[in-house]
Amino acid sequence: MWKDFKLGLRSYLEAIIFIYKHQFWIYFIFPIVVFISIYYLGFYFKDLTTIYKSPEDAGFFQSLYYFFVSGFFLLMSFMFLNFIRYIIILLISPLLSIVSERTERILTNKKYSYSLSQLIKDVKRALNLIIRNLFLEMFLGLCVIIGLLILESLFSINELMINILQNSIIAIIAFYYYGFGFIDYIMERLKMNHKESINFVRKHRGLAIALGLVFTPLFHYSNNYLSILNDQFETGSIYFTMILICSATLIAIIPILSMVAATLAVHQLVDLNNNKSNNQ
């Protein structure tokens, strides 16, 4: 496990050099556009909730109409602003598949013939895995919280120690499942089914945790950092815009970097030159 963990961390350094050498910059454009679009849509829906406030002289049915419309816009705003990372990962899954495939092509000099049906298949598999891993992550996190609460009540363990254990275990679970998601793109091209992919990642769980360790704080939790900064500046101000652009750039870079790192790491484990499923 420790060997695979070190491989995962080292692969990130190699991925930086790889991206620079092979000019992968173009792949950052789409995630940046997606991030900024979703973020502004969230504030757009938030503004609509104030526009659709019920007038004081509105009747019952008119008030009911405004209530449901403003509630819908409020829900959309909450979803876009608070689940933006999950939405981005879903939307850029075709791009991640392309990035991983190109990385493998450069490593092995084997060419894939373009197939829209295969791309759709890859995306469907990625979406299913994201949903599966999200629910498993939430379930295991809940089990950890309940288990530690029971331990605390039975053995009178210090509350600070419980909180440290809880946050650490939940973070490791998140690292594992995010890393799993990136590795599975390569497993699909190796023609592994879900069960085989799960077994591979379990065998190399150190790699999955290392990939998620770098990805998760920079990508998933950066929403918390952005929210703190947003409270300090007015929306639309030059400082807010600069923060948004910096965040969008980070959000664009880290999934691409993680995808390249995952492909480089798996190549060292299984040698993708032996991938018989390549369409040449």
Side-chain angles (χ1 to χ4, degrees), residues 98-158:
I98 292 169
V99 167
S100 181
E101 182 181 307
R102 186 185 170 194
T103 303
E104 182 178 336
R105 187 167 68 244
I106 292 170
L107 291 171
T108 63
N109 292 318
K110 293 182 178 181
K111 293 184 179 180
Y112 284 88
S113 57
Y114 175 76
S115 171
L116 180 60
S117 61
Q118 182 60 43
L119 181 61
I120 293 172
K121 184 179 177 182
D122 291 345
V123 172
K124 284 177 65 177
R125 173 168 170 144
L127 295 181
N128 288 334
L129 188 70
I130 288 170
I131 294 170
R132 170 192 176 275
N133 286 353
L134 177 61
F135 279 104
L136 277 174
E137 183 183 335
M138 292 171 62
F139 172 74
L140 291 174
L142 183 61
C143 289
V144 169
I145 293 171
I146 294 173
L148 289 176
L149 285 175
I150 293 172
L151 284 177
E152 183 182 15
S153 62
L154 289 176
F155 300 102
S156 301
I157 302 175
N158 182 273

Side-chain angles (χ1 to χ4, degrees), residues 43-54 66 70 73-74:
F43 279 104
Y44 173 72
F45 283 121
K46 190 174 182 180
D47 291 338
L48 286 179
T49 61
T50 60
I51 295 174
Y52 280 86
K53 273 190 174 181
S54 177
Y66 277 107
S70 62
F73 289 138
L74 183 63

Side-chain angles (χ1 to χ4, degrees), residues 75-225:
L75 178 63
M76 294 298 290
S77 173
F78 178 82
M79 183 182 70
F80 280 125
L81 293 177
N82 291 274
F83 295 95
I84 187 169
R85 271 70 187 164
Y86 295 107
I87 297 171
I88 290 173
I89 286 294
L90 290 172
L91 291 178
I92 69 171
S93 56
L95 178 66
L96 294 178
S97 180
I98 292 169
V99 167
S100 181
E101 182 181 307
R102 186 185 170 194
T103 303
E104 182 178 336
R105 187 167 68 244
I106 292 170
L107 291 171
T108 63
N109 292 318
K110 293 182 178 181
K111 293 184 179 180
Y112 284 88
S113 57
Y114 175 76
S115 171
L116 180 60
S117 61
Q118 182 60 43
L119 181 61
I120 293 172
K121 184 179 177 182
D122 291 345
V123 172
K124 284 177 65 177
R125 173 168 170 144
L127 295 181
N128 288 334
L129 188 70
I130 288 170
I131 294 170
R132 170 192 176 275
N133 286 353
L134 177 61
F135 279 104
L136 277 174
E137 183 183 335
M138 292 171 62
F139 172 74
L140 291 174
L142 183 61
C143 289
V144 169
I145 293 171
I146 294 173
L148 289 176
L149 285 175
I150 293 172
L151 284 177
E152 183 182 15
S153 62
L154 289 176
F155 300 102
S156 301
I157 302 175
N158 182 273
E159 185 178 349
L160 177 61
M161 182 63 69
I162 289 292
N163 288 335
I164 293 173
L165 281 172
Q166 177 180 300
N167 292 333
S168 300
I169 296 173
I170 289 176
I172 291 171
I173 292 171
F175 298 160
Y176 175 81
Y177 281 111
Y178 273 112
F180 188 165
F182 287 107
I183 295 172
D184 190 68
Y185 282 93
I186 304 103
M187 300 300 100
E188 164 62 22
R189 287 200 306 282
L190 292 173
K191 301 303 178 184
M192 289 188 183
N193 57 35
H194 274 302
K195 185 176 181 180
E196 291 170 329
S197 179
I198 290 168
N199 289 336
F200 179 90
V201 176
R202 283 177 180 169
K203 182 179 178 182
H204 301 285
R205 56 187 177 275
L207 171 61
I209 292 171
L211 292 171
L213 173 63
V214 177
F215 172 81
T216 308
L218 293 175
F219 184 86
H220 185 67
Y221 295 137
S222 61
N223 190 46
N224 298 334
Y225 315 146

